[in-house]
Every structure is written in C-alpha cells, then in structure tokens.
Amino acid sequence: MVLYTTPFPNSCLSALHTVSWAFIFPCYWLLDRLLALFIPVPCQKNQLLCIVLFMPIYLGLLVTSLPFAFLGFLFWSPLQCARRPYVYSWLEDKGPAGGAALLREWKGTGPGKSFCFATANVCLLPDSLARHNNVFNTQVRAKEIGHRIRNGASRPQIKIYIDSPTNTSISAASFSSLVSPQGDGIARAVPGSIKRTASVDYKGNGGRHPSDEAANGLASGDAVDCSNLENACIVRIGGDEGSRHPEVDDPATGGQTRNGAGGGPRGQTPNHSQRDGDSGSLGSPSASRESLVKARAGLDGGSGEPGATYSKAPHKASVVKKAAARRKRHPDEVFDHEISAFFPANLDFLCLQEVFDKRAASTLKNQLHGYFEYILYDVGVYGCQGRCCYKCLNSGLFFASRYPIMDVAYHCYPNGKGFDSLASKGVLFLKVQVGSTPQDQRIVGYITCTHLHAPEDDSAIRCEQLDMLLEWLADFRKSTSSSSTANPEELVAFDIVCGDLNFDNCSSDDKLEQQHSLFTRYKDPCRLGPGEEKPWAIGTMLDQDGLNDEDVSTPDNLQKVLESEEGRREYLAFPISKSPGACQKGRKDVLKGNGRRIDYMLYAEEGLCPDWKAEVEEFSFITQLSSLTDHLPVAMRLMVSTGEEEA
C-alpha cells in the first residue's frame, strides 16, 4: 500500500488549500483568542483588566478578517472532498537504531521478543476549548509533551546482575535509595501493591556514552558490559569471587543511547527484549545497599551528587534486575505493574488522542521524530463527508512507530451527536512490520487506535461505535493479509486495540459498554470482569480542578500522590452514578480503589501465528505528562513467544 505523505494528490490542490487556509487562519486565531479571554487560567491575574483591554482589539480585528475568511472558506470547503485522511511522515534513519535495522533484529526464532505500546489523551485542542479542561497554552504544551515522551522513551535501560550465590535480589529499601530524586539515600516505603519506577539519574555529557560514565564511576571489582546492539547497559555487582549468576552467560546487550534533544543525533534506540525474569520487583529481599549506592555514584559521574531536577530535562536510566525466576509485584499477577514517572524505555509504538490542533500536531511530530522514524498525523476528515455531519476538527488521532508502517485505514464514526459530532472522531487501523523470518516471511502486527463518543449518557452510541470498530477491523485484516493457510507469507505477532474509550469498568451507568463483545475478543490486563477491576489498577482520568496544584505539578509529585489511597481520592476523577440506592456502597468501594479508567490497552490472544503466544510483561500508569493533560498515559510491554525453548 502506498502511504500518503501529502494531504492532497497533487501540488495544485495543495497550493490552493494553503492559500485558502491563509485567508481563514487570522479569523480562526482571533476567535480562539477572544473566547479564551473569558476562561481564566490559574496563573492569570486581573482577568477583568485583560478583557477590557484586549476584547475591543480582538473583536475589531475579527470583524475585519471575516470577509477574507468567508472568501477562503468558499475554496477550502470543497477541497476537503479531495483531501486524504492522514499525512504520513518518514524521517529515515540509516543507523543501527533505524527501522530497517530493527527489522533485521528479529527473525521469528528463539524464545521471543518484547514490544512496548503506549497510549495517551493529550488534550491538544484550540486554546479556548482546552481551557475548559483546565489546561492552556496548547502550542507550548505540544512541544513539551513531545520533549518529555522522547526523553522518557530514549533513556537507556540498565540491568543489574547480583553475582552472589546467596543474594540474588534487590530490596525495596535499596531501590528507594537508588531512585530517590533528592539523592538523600533515605529508604521510602511504597504502599500497597502499586510500585514505583526504579530509575537512576542520567544526563548527557557532551556525547559521552552512558556506559562510559557507569564504567568510570563503578568501584573496583564491579563490571559493566555494553555493546552496540541494544539500549541496555549491564552492571554486575560482584559477590563472592568466582561466583556467577545463573544467567550471566546471556548475550550482552548494548548501551548506546542517542539523545534527540537539541540538534544532536536522533534519540532512537533499538528494542529491548526482556526475557523471563526481567523485572524490577521492589518487593524482594535484600541486596547490599552499599553496592547499589556505589553504582549510583558511578552513573552520576562518580560525584555522588543528586541528579538534576526534571525541569532541567535529565534523561533517566531505567534499572532492571534479572533474577532466576520472574518476581511478581502482586501475588495474583504474572506480570509487573507500576505507577511510573517516565514513559517506558525503548517504547516502540505510541498512540495519541485529541491532537486536534494542526499546528500542535506539526510541533509534536517534529519533536517525536527525534525518536520515532514513522509518524501519522492530521488524521481525519473535514467538511461534509458521506453520512457524517459537517466536521470542523479532525479525529485527533496521532500514531508514531519505530517500525515500518505497511498499511493504514481510517474510518469516521457516523453516529456522533452534539458537540462531539463536530470532530471527525473515528478509528485508525495500522499494520506494521516488526521482523522477517529466514524464509522471507514478514512478521507483522496490527494496531487499532480510537477515540469514542464522549457524553456520559450516550452508552448506546459508544456500543454502536465498538460494533463498527470490530467490523472494520475484520475487513482491514482481510484486505491487507497476503497469506494463505497453505503458504503463509506473513506471521502475525500481535493485535492491539487502544485509545480513549470514554467509559470505565466501575461505573454502574457504563454496564452496557462493560459487557461488550470487544472484551471477549481482546484481553484487558487491568480487568477481572464486567464492573470489576484488578486491585492495582487506577483511574486514568484526573480531576480537572486539581491539575495545576503544586502537589501534582511534576511527574515525581504526581507519582507519589497516586501511590496513596488518599491522593487518588483527591486527584483522580471518580464515577458519579445516577442510581442513588444501590450505588452508594459501590461508590464507597470505588473510592477505596482507584477512579475512572477510560484509557485502555487491549491485546488479542487469538488470531496470531500458530504456536505463538502474546503475554503481558509490564503494565504502567505514567505520570510524565503531569500538568500537561487531564489524562494519565498507560503503557504495556508485550512478550511474543514463538514456542521455541531458549538454548
């Protein structure tokens, strides 16, 4: 399939669209600024004075621009019939972290490979609309969102091996001293079963390799193994002389990191495949605290000084330990789950919603191209399209990938109502290639990104949209598959559905959606059943009134707040049921739990290559976009096992 790199099929239409939009834009911008005057922001003082001073200016200029906007609209509106439903951007990287190199990395052999997915609603609306959600300065936020995602995903991973026959785990106290943002070495207890990210500070240093810093700073007897193949640095903390961890003979993985900040090299990093036992469990007993403090001192350049605060945009090196067997963060789970202050290292696929503003989408694209090679943006339709009513905004969907995109399809939901119908909300289907076998069979994956109808009372509309999603997805897979049962040309590694579904699994008013067949075809790692969440799952919708409080103004602060039940009760949005009697007890239970989780990451266990199996390795609720959006991003690392035993 040919992917569209321009919104129009020829340069003549593109030029005409550019001119017509130039006539419309001043009116659009002035109207946005005029409406924004009447919606205060927390840091704004003397709002009345601003209205008195600027309203006559904006209003006068708006009236002046109306004739030009009308003339531009006469040309712009018919052009939308010829507009393509997305724009594809590819910034080629021929280095070892590029998409072509990643395809050669996995041949579909061995024990398997892990892939990391993330989804987030970033609320990049025109500023006058974004202020209704208590966020503002859309263009500034777009740049900062891209910067934070890129820095979080491109940080190096560090594996810590404990070479001791009697001590093969890392204690919660040791991890706490390692990850303390203040570097005070004080062990902090983590309440409940929700665990914090284990990370150490890492800052770029004039192009110095992160493994060089670690090697130079480690005490004598400690070892660092790094290579150029993967973004992981292995730190061995010595125990008894001659003793070895049972798995230290695994191939060493690399430590090369390329920071995309500023004008330096792009920050793409090859995918890290975590094998069985790769976890950062905080609940296991006791490695030497002194050993980990030495490791931290080495990573900080040997000074032992605390790392820079987040405002100085340091990179973080995620710390992972490898034990003989997987450590569970919760006794009933087979995968790790946590509240993380950072996006996962080596993030492979990113799905965003509510990237409605075109300038913000372009800014975000430019920022994320420092890490992701393939990006789809400006997804959706405008004007009158088929059965849909007139669309003033696009779908808000945005997709970024480190792996090549093979096929794309977009569908607009035709049943939107009210204000939601002015945006072309819909679903984006993608087929990506993640490897190839020695027999030249392509290894592919399917990703579906969507944003459903928002008004809480319209459950029937959301269920209709889910029905359409499943039907369109089946058609997409059928139309893009080039395989036959007898002679398969493609092997399907994963099938993911994610996005903002605008309903939760704890509200009694969302029972219709909770019982939809989507959840029988796809598995939700956070869900026990209809209306029943797993105890560690938390809400992803923040209380808009508290978005700008100092207590949650930074990723670390928001992470700490959400680790406590009291903090979740104060800063997460909870369902408000219209059924008073039966729901009071349910609401009390929810308040003990964890708020409205409306952002989903689902995966299929069926429809994959025969004998292959997809299992969740990690699931994260991410606070890195604190104060920039009213949603918590979520991320999932999926291990695709091929059925072959590790040699």
Side-chain angles (χ1 to χ4, degrees):
M1 178 180 180
V2 177
L3 302 179
Y4 305 131
T5 57
T6 59
F8 290 94
N10 59 64
S11 57
C12 180
L13 292 178
S14 296
L16 189 58
H17 177 267
T18 301
V19 172
S20 62
W21 182 247
F23 277 83
I24 296 172
F25 180 76
C27 181
Y28 162 81
W29 185 84
L30 288 165
L31 180 61
D32 183 44
R33 299 318 307 161
L34 181 62
L35 296 176
L37 281 177
F38 297 92
I39 307 171
V41 297
C43 59
Q44 183 177 351
K45 298 181 180 179
N46 302 320
Q47 183 197 4
L48 184 59
L49 179 61
C50 290
I51 293 175
V52 171
L53 288 177
F54 291 103
M55 187 179 71
I57 299 174
Y58 287 148
L59 194 57
L61 293 174
L62 179 64
V63 172
T64 304
S65 67
L66 281 174
F68 299 97
F70 179 73
L71 180 62
F73 183 78
L74 292 179
F75 290 93
W76 179 87
S77 187
L79 285 173
Q80 303 314 305
C81 296
R83 184 185 177 277
R84 293 160 170 169
Y86 61 84
V87 179
Y88 169 65
S89 179
W90 174 33
L91 189 61
E92 185 177 6
D93 180 11
K94 297 182 179 179
L102 291 177
L103 288 182
R104 296 191 295 267
E105 191 176 286
W106 190 36
K107 300 296 184 181
T109 57
K113 185 175 179 65
S114 64
F115 300 94
C116 191
F117 310 82
T119 182
N121 183 317
V122 290
C123 199
L124 291 176
L125 291 151
D127 203 42
S128 57
L129 300 178
R131 291 190 182 199
H132 287 286
N133 293 354
N134 205 18
V135 289
F136 45 92
N137 292 338
T138 295
Q139 306 308 320
V140 175
R141 284 192 299 114
K143 184 175 182 179
E144 181 64 16
I145 286 170
H147 180 69
R148 292 192 189 184
I149 293 174
R150 186 186 65 199
N151 281 352
S154 61
R155 60 200 167 95
Q157 281 192 309
I158 297 179
K159 294 182 182 180
I160 296 183
Y161 289 76
I162 310 293
D163 290 344
S164 169
T166 59
N167 186 9
T168 58
S169 56
I170 298 177
S171 68
S174 296
F175 261 122
S176 296
S177 65
L178 191 62
V179 305
S180 170
Q182 296 81 12
D184 52 15
I186 300 174
R188 292 180 174 82
V190 182
S193 62
I194 300 175
K195 305 302 183 184
R196 300 186 62 190
T197 301
S199 61
V200 293
D201 291 336
Y202 167 70
K203 295 181 289 181
N205 185 12
R208 284 183 63 191
H209 197 286
S211 62
D212 295 338
E213 294 190 12
N216 293 338
L218 285 173
S220 176
D222 295 344
V224 176
D225 290 345
C226 295
S227 70
N228 294 326
L229 297 179
E230 286 198 3
N231 180 32
C233 182
I234 303 174
V235 180
R236 289 190 175 89
I237 301 176
D240 295 339
E241 187 68 26
S243 64
R244 296 177 62 86
H245 191 280
E247 295 184 2
V248 297
D249 290 329
D250 288 351
T253 52
Q256 184 172 3
T257 302
R258 299 164 56 206
N259 180 13
R266 296 173 55 222
Q268 292 184 337
T269 56
N271 184 58
H272 164 58
S273 174
Q274 282 189 318
R275 302 186 180 182
D276 195 25
D278 282 10
S279 64
S281 175
L282 303 183
S284 51
S286 92
S288 165
R289 176 169 175 170
E290 290 76 17
S291 298
L292 295 177
V293 171
K294 284 195 299 180
R296 161 133 193 206
L299 291 168
D300 285 340
S303 64
E305 294 297 324
T309 61
Y310 185 79
S311 61
K312 296 182 181 179
H315 288 275
K316 298 284 182 173
S318 72
V319 176
V320 191
K321 78 171 180 69
K322 192 165 188 176
R326 178 181 300 279
R327 303 291 183 182
K328 301 177 185 178
R329 291 179 185 260
H330 189 276
D332 298 328
E333 290 295 355
V334 295
F335 59 86
D336 297 329
H337 44 80
E338 65 179 353
I339 299 174
S340 170
F342 312 102
F343 276 85
N346 297 312
L347 178 63
D348 295 308
F349 306 100
L350 176 68
C351 301
L352 301 179
Q353 301 85 47
E354 290 198 8
V355 188
F356 288 116
D357 188 273
K358 294 175 72 171
R359 289 187 298 153
S362 181
T363 300
L364 192 60
K365 176 205 66 165
N366 293 336
Q367 284 288 320
L368 292 178
H369 258 323
Y371 179 78
F372 294 101
E373 188 171 347
Y374 310 92
I375 291 179
L376 288 175
Y377 68 105
D378 198 11
V379 178
V381 295
Y382 298 90
C384 291
Q385 302 286 338
R387 295 183 295 162
C388 303
C389 65
Y390 197 87
K391 303 299 181 184
C392 300
L393 298 171
N394 62 23
S395 70
L397 300 177
F398 183 106
F399 177 77
S401 170
R402 296 170 63 210
Y403 289 88
I405 300 171
M406 298 179 63
D407 294 284
V408 179
Y410 161 79
H411 293 274
C412 178
Y413 294 128
N415 61 342
K417 286 175 54 179
F419 182 78
D420 247 31
S421 65
L422 298 178
S424 57
K425 283 188 174 180
V427 56
L428 182 66
F429 301 105
L430 303 117
K431 178 181 177 181
V432 295
Q433 183 176 357
V434 296
S436 58
T437 69
Q439 295 77 31
D440 290 330
Q441 295 171 299
R442 291 186 297 269
I443 305 175
V444 302
Y446 288 93
I447 302 173
T448 301
C449 180
T450 190
H451 190 187
L452 298 187
H453 191 67
E456 296 179 0
D457 297 334
D458 295 331
S459 292
I461 292 179
R462 282 188 289 273
C463 284
E464 289 176 9
Q465 292 177 345
L466 290 177
D467 291 338
M468 287 185 274
L469 183 151
L470 292 176
E471 180 181 351
W472 291 334
L473 176 55
D475 292 341
F476 178 71
R477 289 196 59 166
K478 184 177 180 181
S479 64
T480 59
S481 175
S482 58
S483 296
S484 64
T485 306
N487 184 28
E489 297 179 8
E490 295 176 345
L491 306 178
V492 179
F494 55 79
D495 185 359
I496 302 293
V497 174
C498 64
D500 181 354
L501 303 189
N502 273 312
F503 65 86
D504 59 61
N505 195 39
C506 58
S507 300
S508 58
D509 293 330
D510 290 338
K511 285 184 177 179
L512 197 61
E513 299 99 313
Q514 294 164 10
Q515 298 172 357
H516 195 272
S517 61
L518 174 73
F519 296 102
T520 61
R521 302 187 190 186
Y522 290 85
K523 189 170 182 179
D524 183 353
C526 302
R527 163 183 162 124
L528 289 173
E532 189 177 5
E533 294 279 79
K534 293 183 179 179
W536 50 265
I538 68 171
T540 60
M541 189 173 181
L542 298 171
D543 185 355
Q544 294 174 356
D545 293 335
L547 286 181
N548 297 292
D549 288 3
E550 186 177 353
D551 289 344
V552 293
S553 60
T554 68
D556 287 335
N557 287 352
L558 181 57
Q559 179 193 32
K560 293 174 185 177
V561 164
L562 296 182
E563 286 169 351
S564 70
E565 182 180 340
E566 182 181 353
R568 293 193 293 272
R569 188 182 299 116
E570 183 173 358
Y571 287 103
L572 291 181
F574 284 84
I576 301 175
S577 177
K578 297 180 181 177
S579 328
C583 241
Q584 289 303 317
K585 182 179 179 182
R587 176 161 173 75
K588 184 177 180 182
D589 290 341
V590 169
L591 285 174
K592 283 183 183 177
N594 302 320
R596 298 196 67 203
R597 184 176 61 89
I598 65 175
D599 299 274
Y600 289 78
M601 183 71 70
L602 314 177
Y603 69 100
E605 295 182 311
E606 305 293 333
L608 309 181
C609 177
D611 299 326
W612 287 19
K613 186 177 182 181
E615 294 179 305
V616 178
E617 278 195 326
E618 301 169 1
F619 197 94
S620 306
F621 299 91
I622 300 163
T623 64
Q624 194 167 7
L625 301 186
S626 62
S627 76
L628 299 177
T629 178
D630 57 347
H631 287 244
L632 286 180
V634 296
M636 176 177 71
R637 195 178 297 275
L638 196 70
M639 168 59 78
V640 179
S641 304
T642 62
E644 298 183 20
E645 295 295 331
E646 183 175 4

